[in-house]
Amino acid sequence: MNNTALMQELYDTPEIDILDEIRQLRARLGEKVLILGHHYQREEVIGFADVTGDSLKLAQLAAQTDAPYIIFCGVHFMAETADILTSDAQTVILPDLAAGCSMADMADDTQVRRCWQELAEVIQQPDERVTPVTYINSTAALKSFCGEHGGVVCTSSNCEKVLNWAWERREKVLFFPDQHLGENTALAMGIPEDDMIIWDPAQPLGGNTIEAIERTRLILWKGFCSVHQLFKAQHADAMRKEHPGIEILAHPECSRAVCETSDFVGSTEAIIQYVKKAPAGQVFAIATELNLVNRLRLQHPDNPVYFLSPTVCMCSTMFRTDPPHLLAALQEIEAGHVAHPIRVPAEDQRWGKLSLERMLNLA
Ligand code: 13P
Ligand code: SF4
């Protein structure tokens, strides 16, 4: 049966049966399989994860496990990261190959290499003067680029540590693909706005003058998360008016205006821990993906939890991983043929591993 026919059959099966079959198959496969689940996964899927976490925690776990099969309930760049950090004998599976990340797609290898070339024309030796830092939400090719050029990967949990490391080595940082994580973190570290420029890959010199490039300390790629950009500072104002004493929590992929008005800015894991430690009765409005906020609301009945935006901000690619795809992944493992493992090419493995290990040694 081909993949489309199999998926159609699974979609025609009542969900209760799918969930039951996942349970049985999961038990039969035992330690052969590790299921990792990012906090943005839907409820019906996250319940099957052996471990849940943010991008950093899941990368750390991938580096430690010796399970022969790792099913990554997350998005493509996470599965690639896990493949780089595991051995050749292990297989990483992304249940739905269409689960990508629009932010990761905003910087490709050609664009970043062109940017590096343009920087070389202005400041001559970028390998001595600029540390490339890629957010983990990027392709394996960009992690490889960073490894090759003395750079490093960061996540939303360790961005400050990584930026400090980068500036200790070279005077400038090229940060991609998320402008906001770089900008919010640098501002919180006390780096003045005047020391940063935005690099628009569609423009010559990223839309900057030679003087601005020579002067800057931080070059921010013009990329963003389509989910987090939907939160606005006025949503926070409205929440505060309606619920005096409310605390606003935001993910650093949100805009500067949202982060600046928030009471706390942190990764998904940090937001979870913040709510966990709060006294009963504390009210929250949270600016991050909807599935996580809904889960926090259910897990903390003593803390009213609101979604910061009045509109639905959901990561549609995270949502692609559903019970039928998870079941199909498990069935393939049991049948002994994984049709679409995530395999990063050897060259990207080598350099990508270096940039990831530099990060993991700091984290
Ligand atoms: P964290 O997992 O680092 O919180 O990042 C959220 C995210 O956007 C994952 O794609
Ligand atoms: Fe990518 Fe944003 Fe979805 Fe995270 S939430 S996977 S950054 S699109």
Side-chain angles (χ1 to χ4, degrees):
M1 194 184 302
N2 68 28
N3 199 259
T4 318
L6 169 70
M7 288 316 301
Q8 191 52 58
E9 190 181 303
L10 293 179
Y11 277 116
D12 289 342
T13 307
E15 185 165 86
I16 189 158
D17 296 338
I18 298 279
L19 298 178
D20 195 43
E21 218 179 310
I22 293 175
R23 248 173 252 122
Q24 291 181 34
L25 204 41
R26 179 70 199 85
R28 281 206 297 280
L29 289 166
E31 292 187 359
K32 212 171 160 184
V33 175
L34 177 71
I35 304 181
L36 299 179
H38 188 270
H39 293 307
Y40 292 163
Q41 290 291 297
R42 53 166 93 197
E43 231 37 51
E44 316 88 272
V45 167
I46 201 94
F48 289 110
D50 297 306
V51 199
T52 61
D54 65 0
S55 307
L56 178 62
K57 186 171 159 191
L58 296 176
Q60 286 166 331
L61 284 159
Q64 285 159 14
T65 181
D66 50 15
Y69 293 96
I70 295 115
I71 299 184
F72 215 123
C73 298
V75 289
H76 195 265
F77 72 81
M78 296 178 177
E80 278 191 334
T81 300
D83 182 51
I84 294 172
L85 292 171
T86 49
S87 75
D88 289 348
Q90 294 169 286
T91 304
V92 178
I93 301 161
L94 183 68
D96 186 341
L97 284 177
C101 165
S102 54
M103 177 203 284
D105 294 340
M106 288 179 193
D108 68 27
D109 193 39
T110 311
Q111 290 171 317
V112 170
R113 285 183 191 275
R114 194 171 56 229
C115 163
W116 201 250
Q117 187 58 43
E118 290 188 2
L119 290 176
E121 283 158 22
V122 176
I123 52 175
Q124 277 72 55
Q125 303 279 5
D127 279 278
E128 285 172 18
R129 298 183 61 195
V130 187
T131 309
V133 177
T134 187
Y135 189 19
I136 199 164
N137 299 31
S138 57
T139 61
L142 293 189
K143 295 181 178 76
S144 171
F145 175 88
C146 287
E148 198 185 333
H149 293 279
V152 62
V153 178
C154 77
T155 76
S156 59
S157 286
N158 59 18
C159 189
E160 178 170 342
K161 237 185 242 175
V162 170
L163 284 178
N164 274 324
W165 180 93
W167 275 313
E168 272 162 24
R169 267 145 199 85
R170 298 175 189 167
E171 74 205 60
K172 299 178 194 295
V173 167
L174 170 62
F175 189 94
F176 44 85
D178 187 19
Q179 175 193 327
H180 303 289
L181 175 64
E183 182 177 10
N184 290 323
T185 309
L187 287 167
M189 290 166 76
I191 306 292
E193 187 177 351
D194 287 351
D195 286 1
M196 309 176 198
I197 56 172
I198 312 285
W199 188 277
D200 178 353
Q203 307 230 28
L205 293 184
N208 299 286
T209 61
I210 290 175
E211 298 69 42
I213 294 172
E214 276 168 347
R215 219 182 35 240
T216 194
R217 291 185 65 201
L218 179 57
I219 304 163
L220 297 161
W221 197 266
K222 198 180 174 184
F224 59 88
C225 166
S226 45
V227 179
H228 289 89
Q229 67 150 359
L230 297 171
F231 297 102
K232 304 288 174 207
Q234 53 270 33
H235 300 155
D237 298 342
M239 279 288 175
R240 287 201 170 101
K241 227 177 251 163
E242 208 174 318
H243 307 279
I246 196 169
E247 284 197 301
I248 313 284
L249 315 183
H251 194 279
E253 287 173 15
C254 293
S255 68
R256 174 180 174 176
V258 169
C259 289
E260 282 182 344
T261 190
S262 294
D263 299 284
F264 177 76
V265 178
S267 74
T268 51
E269 190 72 30
I271 289 174
I272 290 168
Q273 295 309 324
Y274 192 97
V275 175
K276 224 181 232 174
K277 287 183 192 142
Q282 175 62 53
V283 183
F284 293 108
I286 307 184
T288 196
E289 208 269 349
L290 184 64
N291 281 287
L292 172 56
V293 179
N294 283 344
R295 187 170 313 127
L296 284 169
R297 182 179 303 123
L298 291 175
Q299 287 172 347
H300 299 277
D302 294 339
N303 294 99
V305 171
Y306 295 93
F307 192 58
L308 186 70
S309 168
T311 56
V312 172
C313 314
M314 209 182 73
C315 181
S316 57
T317 48
M318 284 277 183
F319 200 66
R320 291 194 74 96
T321 304
D322 55 11
H325 281 90
L326 178 56
L327 178 56
L330 289 162
Q331 286 174 334
E332 285 189 5
I333 295 171
E334 188 168 60
H337 63 84
V338 174
H340 302 290
I342 299 298
R343 292 250 186 264
V344 172
E347 185 70 356
D348 289 344
Q349 284 265 1
R350 183 161 78 98
W351 291 112
K353 192 165 188 169
L354 186 62
S355 62
L356 279 162
E357 283 178 350
R358 284 182 184 132
M359 171 188 83
L360 292 173
N361 290 337
L362 287 172

